[in-house]
Amino acid sequence: MEEKQITVREQKLIKDHTKLKMIVFGTLAVLVVLMAIFAPQIVPCDPYEQDLGRALLPPGGEYPLGTDRYGRDMLSRVIMGSRSTIFSALLLVAVITVIGSAVGIICGYHGGKLDSFLMRVSDIFLAFPGMVFAIAVASVMSGGILNAVIALACISWPKYARIARSQVMTIRTMPYMAAAKLAGSGTLKMIVKHIVPNIAGPVVVTAVLDIGTMIMEIAGLSFLGLGAAPPTAEWGSMMSNGRSMLQTSPWVILAPGVAIFLTVMIFNLAGDTVRDILDPRQRKR
């Protein structure tokens, strides 16, 4: 009896700890997104105003993160850069989630030749090293932040298609699906009412965990000159422009680098917490 009470107490502590993590990391993620939304209103200086008289000032005083080689305030550029980087990552995750899940639902529900064809197409994309393929596509499309998003979307949707397909193939054999068919439910109604809600958990968890990954990959393409073009404030592009000054003026590259690190960490921890909450084993606790 005492052992059972201890187990129940431990389960309650785990559940409370998970809720606390969700509140903390969820709040931090929302604050990061709000910073990106209201970046033009909260920047202390014009992030694009150049003044060579204040070039490469070290952090402190009027410029907490220093200035770059053109005298632009690094704090303002980091805040404004969040707009390009985070919005691009959120757009990318939304696109690949919708497209990949739609393909997976179609394949898993209908099966047959359509399933075989679409899965072979996804295998072709999965056969290439992801980032190498994205670099090749972005190069052909002449760079730009939108082209970087398209290039990464091309290599990222198959994962969601695979997840959705496997879930749908399990769900379609369930008794309630047969009952819905007997009740006269059409294909669209069954997908919307019975399939989408039941596959939402794994897909949402994957999407939240992918936000941090996509932030790094977008920043990586920009660092290579295949994403946002100067003078646009974007974290990867800012790191690329400052890499030659790492020894003389390290704050120029460290400021956007730390911003990427903290943002990716927040979204990854938020994703881990969402996974814990949506995990059926966690629900039983």
Side-chain angles (χ1 to χ4, degrees):
M1 185 70 177
E2 183 179 354
E3 183 179 353
K4 184 177 180 180
Q5 290 176 348
I6 292 174
T7 303
V8 170
R9 191 180 304 117
E10 289 176 347
Q11 290 176 348
K12 186 177 183 302
L13 288 174
I14 292 173
K15 187 176 181 180
D16 292 342
H17 181 62
T18 301
K19 288 182 179 179
L20 178 61
K21 288 199 303 181
M22 186 71 258
I23 292 172
V24 172
F25 297 125
T27 301
L28 289 174
V30 170
L31 289 176
V32 169
V33 174
L34 289 176
M35 179 183 71
I37 293 173
F38 296 105
Q41 287 75 39
I42 63 177
V43 289
C45 305
D46 183 350
Y48 300 108
E49 181 184 358
Q50 300 184 16
D51 184 354
L52 296 180
R54 63 186 188 193
L56 298 177
L57 292 178
E62 186 180 354
Y63 307 105
L65 298 182
T67 61
D68 64 6
R69 70 175 75 190
Y70 301 109
R72 297 174 295 195
D73 178 33
M74 287 301 299
L75 176 60
S76 299
R77 289 185 61 77
V78 167
I79 294 174
M80 186 60 73
S82 67
R83 194 176 181 89
S84 301
T85 307
I86 294 174
F87 280 4
S88 299
L90 294 177
L91 173 63
L92 174 58
V93 170
V95 169
I96 61 178
T97 300
V98 172
I99 294 176
S101 299
V103 171
I105 290 172
I106 292 172
C107 292
Y109 187 79
H110 292 287
K113 294 182 179 179
L114 182 62
D115 176 29
S116 298
F117 173 73
L118 292 175
M119 286 300 100
R120 297 298 77 76
V121 172
S122 72
D123 288 341
I124 292 173
F125 283 101
L126 291 172
F128 292 95
M131 202 59 183
V132 175
F133 186 73
I135 291 172
V137 173
S139 300
V140 170
M141 301 178 72
S142 303
I145 193 70
L146 180 59
N147 291 335
V149 171
I150 295 173
L152 291 171
C154 289
I155 64 167
S156 303
W157 66 269
K159 173 171 58 177
Y160 291 85
R162 292 285 182 179
I163 292 172
R165 177 178 178 271
S166 64
Q167 294 291 317
V168 172
M169 291 182 70
T170 301
I171 292 170
R172 72 179 183 181
T173 61
M174 295 294 179
Y176 63 82
M177 293 292 288
K181 282 185 179 180
L182 291 174
S185 297
T187 300
L188 182 60
K189 183 177 180 180
M190 292 187 66
I191 291 175
V192 173
K193 187 175 180 180
H194 299 290
I195 292 179
V196 172
N198 284 291
I199 70 170
V203 171
V204 169
V205 170
T206 304
V208 176
L209 288 170
D210 257 359
I211 294 175
T213 302
M214 296 308 164
I215 288 175
M216 288 193 297
E217 292 187 352
I218 288 172
L221 288 179
S222 295
F223 184 86
L224 295 173
L226 300 173
T232 302
E234 196 278 334
W235 292 341
S237 177
M238 291 166 62
M239 291 187 67
S240 178
N241 293 334
R243 68 183 186 275
S244 62
M245 295 175 283
L246 180 59
Q247 293 183 337
T248 57
S249 306
W251 59 87
V252 177
I253 192 171
L254 289 178
V258 171
I260 293 173
F261 170 77
L262 292 177
T263 304
V264 170
M265 181 182 68
I266 288 171
F267 280 108
N268 283 347
L269 291 173
D272 286 339
T273 308
V274 171
R275 179 183 58 195
D276 292 341
I277 292 174
L278 295 180
D279 190 330
R281 291 171 297 181
Q282 294 288 340
R283 282 195 215 127
K284 291 178 182 178
R285 296 174 180 176

